[in-house]
Amino acid sequence: MISLEEWFSARQIRIVKSDSDRGEFNIQYILSGEGAGDVFEIDEYSGEIRTLKKLDREEKAFYVLQAQAINRRTNEPEEPQSEFIIKVQDINDNAPLFLNEPYLSSIPEMSPVGMFSLKC
C-alpha cells in the first residue's frame, strides 16, 4: 500500500521494474485500474508511475491499480501482474462549517476533564 497526502503535487510515486528489464527497452509497462490514464500514468519504458493531477480525499479515498510488464517482441507478460493500492490521506483543507450560530455555553469551575460543554 502506498499512502499519499491529498493535494499531493503531480510527481513520481513509484517505479515498477521487471526482473527481466535489462535497460534495452524490450519491456513495455502498462497501467490499468481505477484512475489509470486520467489520475495516474506509467512511463512505458521506465515503469515510473506518476500522478497526473492533485488527489482529493473527499472525492476518492483510495485507488486500486495494476501494473504489467510485457515483452515487446513476444507481446507476452514477463511476470504476473502487480496490484497495489494508493491510499489518499486527508489533510485539513476544508474550513469548519457551523450552522445556527451563535453558540453560547458555560463550563462550571472544577469540571472534570472531557466534560462536554456544548453538544450540537
Side-chain angles (χ1 to χ4, degrees):
M1 181 178 298
I2 301 169
S3 293
L4 301 174
E5 282 189 355
E6 68 177 343
W7 298 106
F8 184 80
S9 60
R11 65 178 191 183
Q12 174 187 326
I13 58 169
R14 182 178 183 146
I15 295 180
V16 177
K17 205 68 157 171
S18 170
D19 291 338
S20 59
D21 189 341
R22 309 273 186 257
E24 300 165 347
F25 305 111
N26 295 334
I27 306 297
Q28 177 184 18
Y29 295 96
I30 298 171
L31 189 67
S32 60
E34 301 171 293
D38 60 327
V39 180
F40 302 97
E41 72 176 354
I42 192 167
D43 182 294
E44 69 174 283
Y45 296 99
S46 69
E48 179 181 282
I49 300 173
R50 295 180 291 267
T51 56
L52 293 173
K53 64 181 186 177
K54 293 183 177 185
L55 308 176
D56 189 350
R57 171 81 165 65
E58 283 76 17
E59 288 181 20
K60 191 153 179 67
F62 65 92
Y63 297 85
V64 179
L65 294 167
Q66 296 82 32
Q68 182 79 59
I70 305 291
N71 184 305
R72 289 181 187 272
R73 289 189 206 122
T74 65
N75 213 27
E76 295 291 323
E78 284 293 313
E79 50 201 62
Q81 180 173 274
S82 298
E83 181 174 279
F84 50 97
I85 299 169
I86 307 289
K87 180 181 176 188
V88 183
Q89 295 180 331
D90 196 19
I91 59 172
N92 193 9
D93 60 337
N94 294 317
L97 178 63
F98 296 98
L99 304 175
N100 306 320
E101 292 185 64
Y103 297 101
L104 299 174
S105 180
S106 62
I107 301 173
E109 187 176 0
M110 303 301 289
S111 295
V113 174
M115 179 183 146
F116 285 101
S117 62
L118 180 67
K119 196 171 185 177
C120 301

